[in-house]
């Protein structure tokens, strides 16, 4: 138009002086032609706007066919273009009107041409809507999507034109564009749900059946160019995928599909035993997964790998078509989207619940893992070929290849778990540990495991034959198994690589350390309520400490050479195990001692028996109750604890009872003759029944001489204040002369057991205030 205006104005300026108001008659065109053409164009413009408003604003069905309007509009534009061409290339010899009239025509020409171009664009938008609707009805979703995209682009172009009166129709067409696009999204969603369908059936104890059905429209034409029937079946599905990808909806759809695929297919395959079937029915492919409830078993790694491949092969027809046709270098398929959504989760699940569990726990079974490693490599390659993995994703490959580290971690974790389970077993299942009949010398072995009969170590020559003997007692059966496990680990360490042997040795140390934490916690209730479990834990911990003392030295020469140059010992753990043994048993001792003393203190009999002899039967009852408690402790301890530990423990408890009785009797201020006899009877019950607590009547004569026999002297040796208790009984029935004789100027048996104040207190309580008593008291000093 700028050329036309320039030429017209130039012609007007050059001819105005000579021709005045004469028209241009020499050319092939005239101002009348231009005016008529403008009038025709404006009529077409009005007609197009009117019909577009009827269609998209008033929704009137009786509008003209837009194709016919488009043809008229095209004809007018062609005529105007032809006239414009004549005006640009023909020599102007005259102007038929004034400059003002030419300017008006040029202005109308410019406005009309711009308006017609915009209307042409809007008509093209309307045609795009119609094409999108037709393609959508024919399930050509990609064409429909591209038509809507083209309409969007045309509307953006039309929006940049400065034509105010057309803005309303542009706004309406933009709203129509949104409606068309949402309709397409909804239709694609419905088709997706019809194409990919999930069904699940589960009831009670019957198997849970999950079905994935992929439906495709029946073939209605013969495709001579395509040799694969499978490709023809899935043409519309691929078209749907491309349309969703074009709209940016495929990622959201794939996220939902991938989550369902992970939870309903891959997890059951990896975490349980399933029956997998692929069926081909009319117009559909079906994947069926049958899973049995309450079945904790799992498929082996090879079965899992095969099932995962079968699932991806089932999805293969859906995932072969490249979705980005405009980017040939970037082959993005539906499988790529699935891999992006669940690839990492599936890899982690395969590693954690399949490959890791296939790793053996013993080195002798390590060769069997080669098949699993090879299968993992094949699966990784399969994933890359199908586009499920990118070439840079090597997580599963690295895990399967790093077999040494994986194996050592798995084996050590398995050993620790096995040891933990042994520690949690019931304590009351026990076995007897008898005195060893061997020489008891420290056994040393060379690198081949042969016993060394001679040693140059001075310390070994100085050790006695009983240095490494463990006393006869009962320990928990699980601890025997634990010790066997420790020696198995050490034997395997002697035949392993230096790295693995080091891990195994420190696993042994961890087991010994773990015992002190697991057993008191796992058995806290029985240890706090029953006396026997505490004794068993005491023996078991001491037994472990006994083995910990010599374990490192025993295997030092047989371990791999790098370990021999370092400090290999478990001796330092023996002290911790012994502390666990003593602290656990002492806690039980404290509870039993408190129970015994509470029986005496709560009754308050000894405070009143001196003045009320009628309370003697009640006192005897409480003493018998104490003896009954001690008898029960004897039954649960004597055949469990080592004899020395038992006599010492029983001596402490009996000594506490005796001390309490002595303290209460000595503290009495007045003891009548009748009360004294009653006290003697009560105390004689204790004196007669306590020595049998230290004797083992059922013990068979030992095959070798040891120190397990008991004698009456054990009572005197282990029970504190026993002689003082016996002396107190004598004192209660003695006369003043007898007391003075047993005092013997501070050198007699009475003086060895009682202090001066205690003797005087008893004399004042037993005898009335007489001159004779005063003389005796004067001599007690």
């Amino acid at each position: 138009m700028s050329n036309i205006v320039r030429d017209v104005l130039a012609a007007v300026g050059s001819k105005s002086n000579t021709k005045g108001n004469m028209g241009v008659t020499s050319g092939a065109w005239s101002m009348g032609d231009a005016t008529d053409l403008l009038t025709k164009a404006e009529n077409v413009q009005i007609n197009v706007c009117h019909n577009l408003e009827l269609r998209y604003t008033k929704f009137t069905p009786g509008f003209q066919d837009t194709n016919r309007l488009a043809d008229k509009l095209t004809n007018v534009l062609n005529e105007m273009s032809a006239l414009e061409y004549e005006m640009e290339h023909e020599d102007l010899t005259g102007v038929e009107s004034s400059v003002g009239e030419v300017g008006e025509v040029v202005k109308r020409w410019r406005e009309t041409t711009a308006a017609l171009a915009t209307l042409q664009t809007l008509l093209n938008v309307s045609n795009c809507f119609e094409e999108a609707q037709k393609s959508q009805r024919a399930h050509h979703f990609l064409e429909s999507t591209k038509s809507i995209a083209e309409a969007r682009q045309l509307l953006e172009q039309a929006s940049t034109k400065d034509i105010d009166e057309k803005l309303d129709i542009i706004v309406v067409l933009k709203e129509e564009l949104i409606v068309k696009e949402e309709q397409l999204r909804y239709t694609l969603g419905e088709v997706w749900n019809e194409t990919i369908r999930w069904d699940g059936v589960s009831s009670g104890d019957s198997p849970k059946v999950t079905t994935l059905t992929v439906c495709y429209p029946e073939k209605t034409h013969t495709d001579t160019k395509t040799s694969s029937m499978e490709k023809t079946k899935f043409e519309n599905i691929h078209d749907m995928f491309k349309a969703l990808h074009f709209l940016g909806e495929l990622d959201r759809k794939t996220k939902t599909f991938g989550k369902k695929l992970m939870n309903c297919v891959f997890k059951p395959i990896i975490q349980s035993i399933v029956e997998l079937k692929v069926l081909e029915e009319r117009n559909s492919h079906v994947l069926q997964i049958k899973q049995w409830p309450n079945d904790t078993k799992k498929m082996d790694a090879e079965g899992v790998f095969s099932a995962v491949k079968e699932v991806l092969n089932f999805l293969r027809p859906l995932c072969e078509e490249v979705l980005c046709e405009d980017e040939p270098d970037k082959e993005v398929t539906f499988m790529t989207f699935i891999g992006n959504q669940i690839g990492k989760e599936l890899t982690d699940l395969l590693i954690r619940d399949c490959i890791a569990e296939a790793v053996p726990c013993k080195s002798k079974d390590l060769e069997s893992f080669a098949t699993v490693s090879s299968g993992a490599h094949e699966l990784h390659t399969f994933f890359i070929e199908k586009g499920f993995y990118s070439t840079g994703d090597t997580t599963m490959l690295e895990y399967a290849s790093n077999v040494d580290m994986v194996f050592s971690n798995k084996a050590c974790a398995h050993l620790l778990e096995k040891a933990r389970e042994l520690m949690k077993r019931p304590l009351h299942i026990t076995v007897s540990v008898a005195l060893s009949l061997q020489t008891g010398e420290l056994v040393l072995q060379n690198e081949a495991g042969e016993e060394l009969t001679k040693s140059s170590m001075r310390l070994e020559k100085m050790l006695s034959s009983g240095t490494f003997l463990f006393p006869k007692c009962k320990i928990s059966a699980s601890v025997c198994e634990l010790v066997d496990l420790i020696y198995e680990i050490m034997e395997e360490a002697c035949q392993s690589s230096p790295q693995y042997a080091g891990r195994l040795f420190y696993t042994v140390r961890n087991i010994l350390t773990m015992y002190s934490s697991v057993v008191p916690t796992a058995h806290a209730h029985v240890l706090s309520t029953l006396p026997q479990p505490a004794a068993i834990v005491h023996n078991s911990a001491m037994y472990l400490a006994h083995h910990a003392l010599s374990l490192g030295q025993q295997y030092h020469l047989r371990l791999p050479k790098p370990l021999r140059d370092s400090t290999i010992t478990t001796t330092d753990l023996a002290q911790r195990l012994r502390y666990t043994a003593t602290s656990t048993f002492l806690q039980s001792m404290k509870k039993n001692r408190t129970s015994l003393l509470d029986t005496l203190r709560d009754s308050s009999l000894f405070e009143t028996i001196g003045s009320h002899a009628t309370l003697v039967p009640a006192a005897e009852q409480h003493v018998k109750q104490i003896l009954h408690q001690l008898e029960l402790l004897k039954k649960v301890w004597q055949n469990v604890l080592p004899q020395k530990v038992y006599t010492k423990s029983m001596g402490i408890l009996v000594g506490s009872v005796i001390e309490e009785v002595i303290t209460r009797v000595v503290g009495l201020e007045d003891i009548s003759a009748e009360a004294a006899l009653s006290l003697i009877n009560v105390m004689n019950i204790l004196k007669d029944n306590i020595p049998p607590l230290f004797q083992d009547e059922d013990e068979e004569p030992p095959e070798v001489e040891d120190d397990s026999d008991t004698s009456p002297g054990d009572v005197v040796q282990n029970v504190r204040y026993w002689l003082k208790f016996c002396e107190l009984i004598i004192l209660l029935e003695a006369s003043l002369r007898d007391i003075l004789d047993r005092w013997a100027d501070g050198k007699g048996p009475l003086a060895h057991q009682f202090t001066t104040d205690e003797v005087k207190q008893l004399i004042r309580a037993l005898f009335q205030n007489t001159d004779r008593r005063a003389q005796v008291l004067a001599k007690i000093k």
Side-chain angles (χ1 to χ4, degrees):
M1 285 305 301
S2 60
N3 292 333
I4 295 174
V5 175
R6 185 176 62 251
D7 294 340
V8 171
L9 292 178
V12 172
S14 61
K15 302 295 182 178
S16 60
N17 293 329
T18 57
K19 295 195 176 183
N21 295 329
M22 296 294 294
V24 181
T25 59
S26 60
W29 63 276
S30 66
M31 290 296 291
D33 295 335
T35 303
D36 292 342
L37 186 57
L38 286 172
T39 301
K40 181 179 180 181
E42 288 170 350
N43 290 333
V44 172
Q45 174 184 343
I46 293 170
N47 197 11
V48 170
C49 289
H50 177 68
N51 279 275
L52 288 175
E53 289 175 356
L54 287 176
R55 166 173 277 195
Y56 296 107
T57 304
K58 299 180 180 179
F59 304 102
T60 303
F63 52 81
Q64 274 187 288
D65 186 9
T66 54
N67 291 328
R68 190 153 51 86
L69 289 175
D71 292 339
K72 288 183 179 182
L73 185 59
T74 301
N75 292 334
V76 172
L77 285 173
N78 289 337
E79 291 179 15
M80 294 182 72
S81 297
L83 183 59
E84 181 180 346
Y85 179 82
E86 291 181 15
M87 289 170 24
E88 286 179 348
H89 293 85
E90 186 175 318
D91 183 21
L92 298 177
T93 57
V95 180
E96 195 172 318
S97 60
S98 65
V99 174
E101 186 179 351
V102 171
E104 184 66 26
V105 171
V106 170
K107 181 179 179 182
R108 285 180 61 196
W109 187 282
R110 182 185 297 113
E111 292 176 352
T112 303
T113 303
L116 290 177
T118 303
L119 288 175
Q120 179 73 49
T121 301
L122 298 181
L123 279 175
N124 290 339
V125 170
S126 179
N127 290 334
C128 287
F129 288 163
E130 292 181 0
E131 290 298 326
Q133 196 72 22
K134 291 178 182 179
S135 300
Q136 183 174 327
R137 285 195 295 267
H139 278 205
H140 297 156
F141 299 112
L142 183 60
E143 294 179 9
S144 179
T145 304
K146 289 182 177 179
S147 296
I148 290 178
E150 183 181 355
R152 180 184 296 277
Q153 185 177 3
L154 291 173
L155 280 174
E156 290 176 355
Q157 293 176 2
S159 299
T160 60
K161 304 295 178 60
D162 188 15
I163 305 176
D164 294 338
E165 61 271 18
K166 306 302 180 298
L167 290 179
D168 292 340
I169 191 62
I170 290 176
V171 171
V172 171
L173 288 175
K174 285 184 176 179
E175 293 176 353
E176 183 68 18
L177 174 67
I178 295 173
V179 172
K180 297 293 184 186
E181 188 171 357
E182 290 303 316
Q183 285 178 346
L184 179 59
R185 291 178 190 272
Y186 177 79
T187 303
L188 285 172
E190 291 295 312
V191 174
W192 173 283
N193 294 333
E194 293 175 1
T195 302
I196 301 175
R197 188 171 67 248
W198 291 93
D199 300 297
V201 178
S202 178
S203 60
D205 296 332
S206 61
K208 178 182 178 181
V209 180
T210 302
T211 304
L212 170 60
T213 304
V214 179
C215 302
Y216 51 85
E218 191 173 3
K219 183 181 177 183
T220 57
H221 66 281
T222 303
D223 190 356
T224 57
K225 298 180 180 179
T226 305
S227 58
S228 174
M229 291 289 293
E230 199 72 19
K231 182 176 180 181
T232 305
K233 293 177 182 178
F234 290 93
E235 281 180 351
N236 289 342
I237 297 178
H238 295 150
D239 192 74
M240 175 188 65
F241 287 158
K242 291 178 182 179
L244 287 170
H245 180 55
F246 197 90
L247 289 173
E249 290 289 309
L250 188 58
D251 190 68
R252 183 174 63 86
K253 291 288 185 182
T254 310
K255 185 176 182 179
T256 304
F257 176 76
K259 185 177 181 181
K260 198 83 173 178
L261 188 68
M262 194 72 203
N263 294 331
C264 298
V265 179
F266 288 130
K267 283 186 178 180
I269 287 174
I270 297 172
Q271 297 177 343
S272 61
I273 294 180
V274 300
E275 181 181 325
L276 198 65
K277 288 184 180 180
V278 177
L279 308 173
E280 186 170 355
E281 301 176 354
R282 188 185 179 199
N283 300 337
S284 66
H285 287 179
V286 179
L287 177 69
Q288 188 179 85
I289 302 100
K290 183 181 290 186
Q291 181 183 4
W292 284 265
N294 304 323
D295 190 352
T296 58
K297 295 181 180 179
K298 295 183 179 181
M299 292 194 295
D300 57 19
E302 295 180 8
V304 170
F305 296 158
S306 176
V308 170
K309 289 180 182 178
E310 190 171 359
V311 172
L312 292 185
N313 282 327
F314 171 80
L315 298 174
R316 176 184 56 80
L318 299 176
C319 307
E320 287 184 333
E321 195 77 14
V322 177
L323 302 179
C324 301
E325 297 178 349
D326 299 334
E327 302 179 23
D329 297 336
K330 188 177 181 182
E331 293 190 357
V332 178
T333 65
F334 184 50
M335 185 69 76
T336 307
F337 276 84
I338 297 175
N340 291 338
Q341 291 294 340
I342 66 172
K344 186 178 184 306
E345 185 179 359
L346 179 60
T347 301
D348 294 341
L349 193 65
L350 283 169
I351 290 174
R352 184 181 69 249
D353 292 346
C354 180
I355 301 177
E357 293 191 1
V359 176
C361 300
K362 295 184 180 180
S363 56
K364 64 180 181 180
D365 301 327
L366 195 57
E367 294 181 1
S368 62
F369 185 70
T371 305
V372 178
S373 180
S374 175
H377 281 71
E378 292 178 4
L379 183 61
H380 179 268
T381 305
F382 180 83
F383 281 162
I384 293 178
E385 290 175 353
K386 298 302 178 184
F388 188 80
Y389 273 177
S390 63
T391 54
D393 191 349
T394 58
T395 306
M396 185 169 65
L397 205 60
E398 292 173 358
Y399 187 89
S401 300
N402 195 9
V403 62
D404 291 336
M405 182 62 69
V406 173
F407 165 71
S408 61
N409 291 340
K410 174 73 175 293
C412 293
H414 175 75
L415 291 171
L416 287 172
E417 184 61 29
K418 185 176 180 180
R420 186 186 297 273
E421 290 301 320
L422 289 173
M423 296 174 192
K424 290 181 178 179
R425 286 188 184 178
L427 298 172
H428 66 274
I429 303 175
T430 60
V431 294
S432 295
V433 179
L435 289 172
S436 174
L437 299 179
Q438 299 176 354
T439 59
E441 297 177 354
L442 178 65
V443 178
L444 295 179
Q445 295 175 323
N446 60 16
E447 298 178 14
E450 299 171 351
E451 183 178 342
L452 297 177
T453 55
K454 295 183 179 181
S455 176
S456 60
M457 296 176 63
R458 178 186 175 102
L459 179 61
E460 294 170 21
K461 296 179 180 179
M462 295 174 60
L463 294 175
S464 67
S465 60
T467 301
F468 290 96
L469 290 180
F470 192 74
K472 179 182 178 181
C473 64
K474 287 186 178 180
I475 63 173
S476 183
S478 59
V479 170
C480 285
E481 295 183 36
L482 188 65
V483 170
D484 291 340
L485 176 64
I486 288 173
Y487 279 97
E488 287 177 10
I489 296 172
M490 293 302 297
E491 288 291 338
E492 186 173 359
C494 295
Q495 303 170 11
S496 304
S497 63
Q499 294 81 4
Y500 184 45
R503 291 289 302 275
L504 289 175
F505 174 74
Y506 277 97
T507 299
V508 170
R509 287 185 57 89
N510 289 336
I511 290 173
L512 294 173
T513 304
M514 191 168 61
Y515 186 88
S516 298
S517 300
V518 173
V519 172
T521 303
H523 305 283
H525 179 68
V526 294
L527 290 176
S528 62
T529 55
L530 301 176
Q532 189 182 52
I536 294 172
V537 170
H538 170 271
N539 297 344
S540 300
M542 285 293 188
Y543 187 70
L544 284 175
H546 173 76
H547 285 278
L549 284 173
S550 59
L551 192 63
Q553 182 65 26
Q554 185 176 351
Y555 285 94
H556 181 76
L557 296 177
R558 295 181 56 196
L559 290 170
K561 191 175 184 305
L563 270 69
R564 298 178 212 158
D565 300 333
S566 58
T567 303
I568 300 299
T569 182
T570 55
T571 305
D572 57 313
L573 302 177
Q575 182 60 29
R576 180 173 180 176
L577 289 166
R578 286 174 174 174
Y579 175 78
T580 301
T582 55
S583 61
T584 302
F585 189 62
L586 283 176
Q587 288 294 328
S588 179
M589 286 275 293
K590 288 179 181 178
K591 288 183 176 63
N592 286 286
R593 179 179 177 272
T594 302
S595 177
L596 292 169
L597 296 181
D598 287 345
T599 304
L600 286 175
R601 293 169 181 170
D602 293 345
S603 65
S604 302
L605 291 174
F606 284 94
E607 287 85 347
T608 57
I609 197 173
S611 57
H612 300 282
T614 56
L615 298 176
V616 172
E620 291 180 355
Q621 184 64 30
H622 282 81
V623 169
K624 288 179 180 179
Q625 184 179 345
I626 291 171
L627 289 171
H628 179 68
Q629 291 178 263
L630 292 173
E631 285 287 346
L632 290 176
L633 291 176
K634 176 186 178 181
K635 289 182 180 179
V636 298
W637 278 356
Q638 191 170 46
N639 294 326
V640 173
L641 291 168
Q643 188 61 35
K644 285 187 176 180
V645 177
Y646 168 73
T647 54
K648 186 175 182 179
S649 303
M650 186 58 73
I652 292 174
L653 294 179
V654 172
S656 299
V657 173
I658 295 299
E659 183 181 5
E660 184 71 17
V661 171
I662 293 173
T663 302
R664 291 181 178 275
V665 172
V666 172
L668 294 175
E669 296 182 355
D670 185 20
I671 303 175
S672 64
E674 186 180 358
L677 291 175
S678 300
L679 285 173
I680 292 171
N681 292 333
V682 172
M683 295 171 67
N684 278 329
I685 295 175
L686 289 173
K687 183 180 178 181
D688 295 338
N689 288 279
I690 284 176
L693 295 174
F694 295 89
Q695 297 174 1
D696 189 357
E697 297 176 355
D698 298 331
E699 183 179 10
E700 297 180 359
E703 297 181 12
V704 294
E705 235 180 86
D706 55 59
D707 55 357
S708 63
D709 287 330
T710 59
S711 64
D714 290 337
V715 181
V716 178
Q717 182 180 356
N718 293 287
V719 179
R720 190 183 180 189
Y721 301 121
W722 179 254
L723 293 178
K724 187 175 183 178
F725 177 74
C726 295
E727 193 67 28
L728 178 60
I729 296 175
I730 296 173
L731 186 60
L732 288 175
E733 61 182 350
S735 62
L736 288 173
R737 181 62 186 174
D738 294 334
I739 294 174
L740 197 59
D741 290 342
R742 296 188 68 82
W743 181 258
D745 295 330
K747 298 178 182 179
L750 183 60
H752 285 96
Q753 303 301 326
F754 288 91
T755 63
T756 303
D757 293 336
E758 289 175 336
V759 174
K760 288 182 177 181
Q761 173 65 26
L762 285 170
I763 291 173
R764 293 190 185 98
L766 289 168
F767 301 98
Q768 294 181 354
N769 187 9
T770 61
D771 294 338
R772 179 57 180 165
R773 190 185 78 170
Q775 293 175 0
V776 172
L777 289 175
K779 293 180 179 181
I780 302 298
K781 56 183 178 180

